[in-house]
Amino acid sequence: MSEVFTGNFTQQEPLPEASIAAAEVVLRHGRLHRYNVAEGEVSETARLEEDFAASTGAAYALAVASGGYALGCALRACGVVPGEPVLTNAFTLAPVPGAIAGVGAVPVFVGVTEALVIDMDDLAKKLESARVLLLSHMRGHICDMDALMALCDAAGVTVIEDCAHTMGARWNGTPTGRFGKMGCFSTQTYKHINAGEGGLLISDDAEAMARAVLLSGSYMLYDHHRAAPPAEVFAGLRYDVPNISGRMDNLRAAILRPQLKALTRQAGRWNDRYTRLARGLADVPGLTLPVRCAKEQFVASSFQFLLLDWAAPDVIAVVDGCAARGVALKWFGAAEPAGFTSRYDSWRYADTPPLPATDRILAGLLDMRLPLTFSLEDCALIARIIRDVVMQVRGTP
Ligand SMILES: *Cc1c(COP(=O)(O)O)cnc(C)c1O
C-alpha cells in the first residue's frame, strides 16, 4: 500500500486566545474605525503600527486594508506616475503587477534564477529603463540584498519591497522591508499573520510616509498616529495628496497584535517544517531544491522545488500522482493560469517580450503551501510521497 496524506493545505491554525480576547474587547465597545476613539484612547490600529515599526526597526509604519493596497500606496507615495515603466519580478503573484497597473504604470518584468530570486544580470540590463523597482521577495526567497541595493543605488533606482512572504525574515541580520525606500507586508490569511485581509507599510522616509498616511485615508486626523512623521511634514502635503481610502480597522489590528508578538516563535515552527521537507527531498534524482544563501534568514510558509528541463507531460504526471496521494502541488509552468499560479505572460495588460531563461525555470517549478497545522511527521510523509512519485515518473526504481 502506498502512503497517502490526508491533511488540508489551506487550513491555517486557529487564532490565538489573546487575539480572540482582544477582538472581543473591540466588538464590545464598537469603535472599529481607527479614528473613532474615546477620550484619551489610543486605537488598536495605531498601536499595531507602533508595534510593527518597533519590530522591524523602521522609523514609521502604516496599517492599511491589504497587501496589494500597501504596494499601490507605496508606488504613489514614491511618485510613480501613469505611463511610467516600473521594474518588477517576472516570478511573483498577480497583485504585484496589478498594483503597478493600478496606478496606471507599466510593469517591466525581470527574470528569475534557479534560486528563485531576481536575476541580477537581467536587472542590470533593465535598470536604465525605469526609476522604480518593485522587488518581490516571492515565496520568501531573498536575493543578495547588498548586491541589489548597490546596483539600484548606483543607477538611482528607488526600491520598494514586496514582503508579503517575508514578514519576520532578514537578509544578513536586517529585516526585509528595511533595504528599500518602503517595505510592504500582507496580513491576509495565507501569509505569516492572519487578519483575513490587511497590509502594513514601513519606511524611514518622512515625506514618503506622510504621503502614504494621507493617501490611505487619514483625513486630517494624522495626529492620531503614533508611528507617523511629525505634523510639520504633513503641513506641506495635506492639500496636495488625495485620499485614496484604504485604512485598516481596529478589529483586524486587535487580532494581529498578539500574532505579531508570536511571530519569531511561529517562524521557527515554519522553518522546522521546511527543513523536514528539504531533508526528505535531498538527493532525489532530477529534483532540485532552490539553493538558499547563508545570509538569507527566511521564514518559510511554503515550499518550492524544481524539475528542471523535464518534459511537460512528466511534470503533469508528478502533479497528478501527488494529488492522488493527497499532496497538493501547484505548477508555475502550466499554459493556463490556475488558482494563484498565474505567470508573467498571463498578465497581458503588460506587453512583455519572452524571457526564455525564466520560462525554463517556471516550466519546472512546483509550489506547495506549508500551513502550521502540518506536523513534522506530516512533512516527512509529504516528502516521502513526492520522492516516490518523482522516482516513479522518472522510471527510477
Ligand atoms: C498576497 C500577496 C500580495 C498581496 O497581498 P494581499 O494582502 O492579498 O493584497 C502581494 N505580493 C505577493 C507576493 C503576495 O503573495
Side-chain angles (χ1 to χ4, degrees):
M1 247 322 262
S2 45
E3 293 181 297
V4 172
F5 179 63
T6 54
N8 180 343
F9 283 79
T10 56
Q11 182 61 57
Q12 305 290 19
E13 291 190 298
L15 296 189
E17 286 305 323
S19 288
I20 294 167
E24 194 182 336
V25 171
V26 174
L27 291 173
R28 291 199 185 280
H29 69 51
R31 292 183 295 277
L32 272 71
H33 190 283
R34 68 167 298 166
Y35 299 122
N36 179 206
V37 284
E39 186 65 35
E41 182 187 14
V42 177
S43 75
E44 285 288 330
T45 310
R47 289 197 193 280
L48 172 67
E49 290 166 344
E50 206 172 29
D51 294 350
F52 198 62
S55 79
T56 54
Y60 312 117
L62 172 69
V64 294
S66 74
Y69 184 90
L71 296 174
C73 185
L75 290 165
R76 281 198 175 88
C78 291
V80 171
V81 294
E84 176 175 350
V86 173
L87 297 166
T88 195
N89 307 55
F91 172 49
T92 187
L93 290 184
V96 179
I100 296 170
V103 302
V106 182
V108 175
F109 295 109
V110 181
V112 64
T113 70
E114 285 180 32
L116 304 185
V117 296
I118 196 163
D119 180 344
M120 296 285 175
D121 297 332
D122 194 28
L123 176 64
K125 280 187 220 142
K126 291 173 176 164
L127 274 177
E128 265 192 12
S129 65
R131 295 189 303 138
V132 173
L133 164 66
L134 178 50
L135 174 71
S136 184
H137 301 298
M138 175 64 172
R139 287 294 183 255
H141 298 273
I142 306 168
C143 72
D144 181 337
M145 289 305 295
D146 302 321
L148 180 122
M149 291 311 297
L151 267 180
C152 291
D153 287 345
V157 167
T158 298
V159 177
I160 298 170
E161 297 175 67
D162 164 26
C163 306
H165 301 164
T166 56
M167 190 180 283
R170 292 162 185 263
W171 170 265
N172 204 16
T174 300
T176 62
R178 302 282 294 120
F179 292 88
K181 184 162 171 170
M182 303 193 107
C184 307
F185 298 79
S186 169
T187 64
Q188 194 234 75
T189 294
Y190 298 112
K191 314 299 163 96
H192 293 104
I193 56 176
N194 175 10
E197 301 287 355
L200 285 155
L201 222 153
I202 56 171
S203 184
D204 284 350
D205 187 299
E207 187 179 323
M209 188 50 95
R211 284 181 190 281
V213 169
L214 291 165
L215 285 163
S216 76
S218 60
Y219 302 94
M220 296 300 160
L221 298 167
Y222 42 78
D223 61 329
H224 285 48
H225 288 241
R226 290 162 73 95
E232 58 266 26
V233 185
F234 289 88
L237 299 168
R238 52 190 250 143
Y239 301 109
D240 297 318
V241 178
N243 173 333
I244 305 180
S245 203
R247 292 171 303 274
M248 182 177 279
D249 60 87
N250 289 333
L251 181 57
R252 284 193 183 121
I255 288 172
L256 290 170
R257 292 182 60 221
Q259 295 183 67
L260 189 58
K261 281 205 194 92
L263 180 62
T264 305
R265 190 174 57 82
Q266 298 291 73
R269 296 177 61 217
W270 257 302
N271 287 354
D272 289 345
R273 283 155 180 75
Y274 184 96
T275 304
R276 190 61 74 96
L277 269 162
R279 222 190 292 144
L281 290 172
D283 309 318
V284 178
L287 183 153
T288 316
L289 297 178
V291 175
R292 308 208 76 149
C293 175
K295 290 184 178 171
E296 185 193 8
Q297 291 122 19
F298 59 91
V299 181
S301 59
S302 65
F303 188 85
Q304 292 73 42
F305 64 88
L306 290 159
L307 301 176
L308 268 181
D309 304 320
W310 282 43
D314 289 345
V315 180
I316 292 169
V318 168
V319 173
D320 292 347
C322 286
R325 292 175 62 179
V327 174
L329 299 177
K330 297 288 158 83
W331 182 34
F332 273 92
E336 277 302 309
F340 56 81
T341 55
S342 64
R343 300 160 41 100
Y344 74 89
D345 52 1
S346 36
W347 306 321
R348 291 185 195 159
Y349 50 84
D351 184 21
T352 305
L355 300 167
T358 291
D359 293 342
R360 172 176 172 259
I361 309 291
L362 296 180
L365 178 55
L366 293 160
D367 179 52
M368 197 178 88
R369 290 192 204 276
L370 202 52
L372 287 175
T373 48
F374 290 3
S375 67
L376 295 177
E377 292 68 35
D378 288 339
C379 295
L381 169 61
I382 292 167
R384 285 198 300 278
I385 292 173
I386 295 172
R387 169 187 286 264
D388 255 23
V389 173
V390 165
M391 309 257 278
Q392 254 166 32
V393 171
R394 254 194 142 223
T396 326

